[in-house]
Amino acid sequence: MRACVPLIVAVLCGLACADLYSAPTSCQGRCREAFNKHQPCHCNARCQEFGNCCEDFESLCGNHEGFSRSSDAITKEELQSTSEKIYKADINKARKEDIILNSQKCISPSETGDKVDRCPEPLFTYVNEKLLSKPTYAAFINLLNNYQRATGHGEHFSGQQLAEQDTFLKEIMKTAVMKELYSFLHHQNRYSSEQEFIDDLKNMWFGLYSRSSEEGDSSGFEHVFSGEVKKGKVSGFHNWIRFYLQEKEGLVDYYSYNYDGPWDSYPDVLAMQFNWDGYYKEVGAAFIGSSPEFEFALYSLCFIARPGKRCTLSLGGHSLAIQTYTWDKTTYGNGKKYIATAYVVSSTR
């Protein structure tokens, strides 16, 4: 696959991301200070909500409860090494012959808001559906119909749906991908047992919170993997399996793409524009051909190691950055935060 533009970080995050991570100043001695518009970055209680925290806000001022601290912070080198191990462990990913893409028209970042369908054919020409019958894929797919996509409508899980969440976690924890992630985090003293890790994953990803006036209308899993509609626009929806299944049903209309990653095998990254049953997605960056456990592992790793920050990983020798955001309005346990969103923001050759 070839790149259409070198980076999509500006499209997805805007200039605030660059400001957030390039600021040389620190939160040392400034935690919870009053807002000062003259400061290049901030350390007040709402800086994560506005995306203008100093780079070391979480390590110096955050509620740590098992997450990054300045005394035991996960280094960039450790993130890159671990992500490479996870990449190599993904034996359930698609082979090159398992997926045939028809990416068609590449557009510039300035055109992503045009809402013009420049691709007459579907994105997926062929998918080997034997992939979808693998245990982790099947468990993942069972979760996708458990949500109402419109925010403002409370989610209420049945006993069966709660069991499906447990089944998904159980199946992915059998894989080398998730065993690699747990081993790393256990070594980092983030989790004392595998069950503690599983329980935390269930809370951070499936725990419900409110994105509108309705109590419990969203979760990290729903937003990132299944997709939501808020204020007339598609929100989240960063998963290729979900996209393929919705396109197959005629509910997704692929419009164009503005970024195609440097990988010559799967998983790859594609940033695309599409219409989801009447609602537009301006830029939806997603892994293509990855297993559910692979995406879940990388997003979880970044959320745990770099909550609310840009997280630089390495996959097959190529650098890739993932952005996560915490949901700060509601917490669980001893002040832990739910995951609000996670997505790919950039990759380089």
Side-chain angles (χ1 to χ4, degrees):
M1 291 186 172
R2 55 188 176 81
C4 175
V5 293
L7 291 175
I8 59 171
V9 61
V11 179
L12 291 175
C13 294
L15 295 178
C17 271
D19 292 341
L20 175 59
Y21 301 114
S22 62
T25 50
S26 171
C27 282
Q28 187 70 43
R30 295 174 53 201
C31 293
R32 311 302 182 226
E33 70 177 5
F35 176 77
N36 181 345
K37 66 180 181 180
H38 299 295
Q39 293 282 8
C41 65
H42 303 278
C43 307
N44 58 75
R46 299 188 68 189
C47 70
Q48 289 183 310
E49 181 180 344
F50 291 99
N52 56 15
C53 298
C54 292
E55 201 168 37
D56 56 5
F57 172 80
E58 183 64 27
S59 63
L60 295 180
C61 309
N63 185 328
H64 301 302
E65 291 301 328
F67 293 92
S68 295
R69 292 184 285 272
S70 57
S71 61
D72 65 353
I74 294 171
T75 66
K76 178 180 178 180
E77 291 73 24
E78 287 170 330
L79 282 174
Q80 292 178 334
S81 174
T82 301
S83 56
E84 282 288 3
K85 290 177 182 178
I86 290 172
Y87 177 76
K88 292 174 182 176
D90 188 17
I91 61 173
N92 282 332
K93 67 183 178 183
R95 299 166 299 175
K96 290 186 71 172
E97 61 269 26
D98 286 331
I99 297 175
I100 299 175
L101 288 184
N102 185 12
S103 52
Q104 301 167 78
K105 179 66 175 179
C106 178
I107 64 173
S108 68
S110 64
E111 297 175 290
T112 59
D114 291 351
K115 301 183 181 181
V116 176
D117 186 355
R118 297 176 171 89
C119 298
E121 301 296 328
L123 173 63
F124 287 94
T125 298
Y126 169 77
V127 171
N128 179 1
E129 294 202 354
K130 289 182 179 179
L131 273 175
L132 308 186
S133 64
K134 291 185 175 184
T136 59
Y137 285 76
F140 174 82
I141 291 169
N142 283 340
L143 296 171
L144 297 176
N145 63 356
N146 292 349
Y147 300 97
Q148 302 180 71
R149 70 176 184 177
T151 58
H153 298 275
E155 303 289 356
H156 303 283
F157 298 127
S158 66
Q160 178 180 338
Q161 290 170 335
L162 291 171
E164 288 172 351
Q165 296 173 6
D166 292 332
T167 297
F168 173 71
L169 292 170
K170 179 181 177 181
E171 290 298 334
I172 65 173
M173 286 306 300
K174 295 177 183 177
T175 67
V177 163
M178 290 301 291
K179 289 185 182 300
E180 192 68 58
L181 176 60
Y182 170 69
S183 176
F184 172 70
L185 295 173
H186 179 65
H187 180 73
Q188 292 286 327
N189 298 315
R190 301 306 173 93
Y191 299 97
S192 60
S193 69
E194 187 172 297
Q195 189 58 53
E196 180 188 0
F197 178 50
I198 294 170
D199 291 343
D200 199 37
L201 290 175
K202 184 170 183 177
N203 279 314
M204 74 170 69
W205 279 102
F206 294 101
L208 295 173
Y209 50 77
S210 177
R211 288 185 184 270
S212 62
S213 58
E214 180 68 30
E215 186 70 23
D217 67 338
S218 185
S219 68
F221 185 92
E222 176 183 6
H223 180 86
V224 174
F225 294 106
S226 183
E228 298 179 294
V229 172
K230 184 177 182 180
K231 297 181 179 178
K233 296 181 180 181
V234 177
S235 183
F237 200 138
H238 300 290
N239 179 257
W240 76 270
I241 300 169
R242 174 68 160 167
F243 189 101
Y244 166 70
L245 293 174
Q246 292 286 283
E247 186 177 65
K248 184 179 177 182
E249 291 185 27
L251 298 175
V252 163
D253 185 2
Y254 171 67
Y255 276 18
S256 54
Y257 75 100
N258 68 291
Y259 177 82
D260 191 345
W263 294 272
D264 58 6
S265 61
Y266 297 117
D268 202 343
V269 174
L270 190 71
M272 49 198 161
Q273 294 68 51
F274 58 89
N275 184 300
W276 185 25
D277 197 23
Y279 300 95
Y280 185 65
K281 181 70 174 181
E282 185 170 332
V283 179
F287 287 104
I288 304 293
S290 56
S291 68
E293 61 265 28
F294 175 83
E295 291 185 57
F296 199 80
L298 289 191
Y299 292 149
S300 298
L301 172 62
C302 283
F303 183 69
I304 292 167
R306 299 288 188 272
K309 297 182 180 182
R310 187 177 178 182
C311 172
T312 303
L313 307 176
S314 179
L315 304 178
H318 298 288
S319 178
L320 175 137
I322 287 173
Q323 174 72 47
T324 66
Y325 286 101
T326 59
W327 188 259
D328 296 332
K329 298 177 183 179
T330 313
T331 60
Y332 68 91
N334 295 318
K336 287 188 175 183
K337 297 174 181 177
Y338 300 103
I339 184 167
T341 191
Y343 48 78
V344 179
V345 293
S346 68
S347 61
T348 56
R349 291 188 182 276

